[in-house]
Amino acid sequence: MSSPDLKVKSTITNEQVARYVVEKITVESDIEAQLRKDTTRLSQGGMISSSDVGSFLGVLAQTANAKKAIEVGTFTGYTALKIAQALPADGKIICCDISTEWTDMGKKYWQAAGVDKKIDLRIAPAMETLNSLNSQAGTFDFAFIDADKLNYHNYFEACLKLLRPGGVIVLDNMLWSGDVADNSVQDETTVALRNLNLKISQDTRVDSCLLTVGDGLMFVRKK
């Protein structure tokens, strides 16, 4: 269970309900809980995905029978850990990040959980890594995007190309603390996410649903 002293992130749900979900219902292993606790000590520790988001990603990857996955934005490796644990023994997740400082924290937890061999961490600009995978287009099963928001459109298009039909993409922070629903908020990041929400909702290449989990998860299935 999540520790009561950790932050609860939710855009829509009130604090009481959010804490009920992450403290009473969402189950974390000791390794996952420790990684979360260590991450929250960082100056930017608030960037870690909430435990219910991690659980959702793990269940979704299993439901999609994912074997090959991509993560854009790994931070300290919490969601990579959750997804990797959901993959079969011969599964692989390619993680894209530019920070060795943050990702190095996750490595010892990946190893402790016995999933380090499933995780292919690539330290480089994400689009560089994604473009390098073009020869494998149409073979990936699952993608999770949680990185710099102004590039979300590019990451979405690149991941969609790499996914097989029936593959799944999840994009985090798509409610952006509720700002996407407030047209008086017109900063560049909010506008970019607002426009991408609309684009995906009308995209005939996919089926999609915007979930009010955490800070908003856009769930996309490639047709």
Side-chain angles (χ1 to χ4, degrees):
M1 298 296 181
S2 296
S3 170
D5 62 342
L6 300 184
K7 292 181 179 179
V8 177
K9 293 167 56 179
S10 179
T11 294
I12 300 300
T13 309
N14 66 42
E15 178 77 5
Q16 181 180 11
V17 174
R19 284 200 172 277
Y20 168 77
V21 171
V22 301
E23 293 173 10
K24 301 296 184 183
I25 303 301
T26 303
V27 177
E28 290 182 307
S29 68
D30 291 342
I31 293 171
E32 293 163 358
Q34 189 61 51
L35 174 53
R36 173 179 299 284
K37 186 175 182 179
D38 288 349
T39 299
T40 58
R41 295 192 180 106
L42 300 175
S43 60
Q44 299 190 57
M47 294 197 306
I48 191 171
S49 294
S50 56
S51 58
D52 54 335
V53 169
S55 293
F56 175 76
L57 294 174
V59 171
L60 189 58
Q62 288 180 308
T63 302
N65 294 316
K67 184 175 181 179
K68 292 179 66 177
I70 303 166
E71 179 176 72
V72 182
T74 296
F75 192 37
T76 60
Y78 180 79
T79 51
L81 174 61
K82 298 292 288 193
I83 296 168
Q85 290 176 132
L87 302 179
D90 59 346
K92 184 72 70 175
I93 176 170
I94 296 176
C95 294
C96 309
D97 209 288
I98 57 173
S99 169
T100 55
E101 177 185 0
W102 291 337
T103 55
D104 280 352
M105 176 181 287
K107 288 180 180 178
K108 64 180 180 181
Y109 293 97
W110 299 342
Q111 186 173 17
V115 298
D116 52 308
K117 291 181 173 58
K118 296 182 186 180
I119 299 175
D120 180 0
L121 175 62
R122 304 196 183 183
I123 302 297
M127 284 306 302
E128 181 179 309
T129 298
L130 295 172
N131 288 335
S132 75
L133 300 173
N134 281 340
S135 63
Q136 301 180 55
T139 67
F140 285 83
D141 308 297
F142 187 88
F144 177 53
I145 300 172
D146 183 14
D148 52 306
K149 311 311 173 191
L150 293 180
N151 270 315
Y152 260 35
H153 177 271
N154 296 327
Y155 299 150
F156 170 74
E157 289 294 336
C159 288
L160 188 62
K161 180 179 180 180
L162 293 172
L163 252 62
R164 62 167 171 81
V168 169
I169 303 175
V170 177
L171 301 94
D172 201 4
N173 303 116
M174 295 299 283
L175 290 174
W176 204 232
S177 298
D179 285 351
V180 294
D182 184 352
N183 286 328
S184 70
V185 181
Q186 291 292 323
D187 64 272
E188 187 178 16
T189 299
T190 301
V191 171
L193 293 177
R194 185 183 294 135
N195 289 342
L196 183 56
N197 276 330
L198 184 61
K199 167 192 165 63
I200 292 174
S201 72
Q202 299 177 349
D203 195 326
T204 59
R205 300 171 297 173
V206 303
D207 295 310
S208 65
C209 179
L210 180 54
L211 305 174
T212 55
V213 176
D215 193 27
L217 295 178
M218 176 62 83
F219 170 69
V220 180
R221 179 183 181 275
K222 183 176 179 178
K223 291 182 179 178

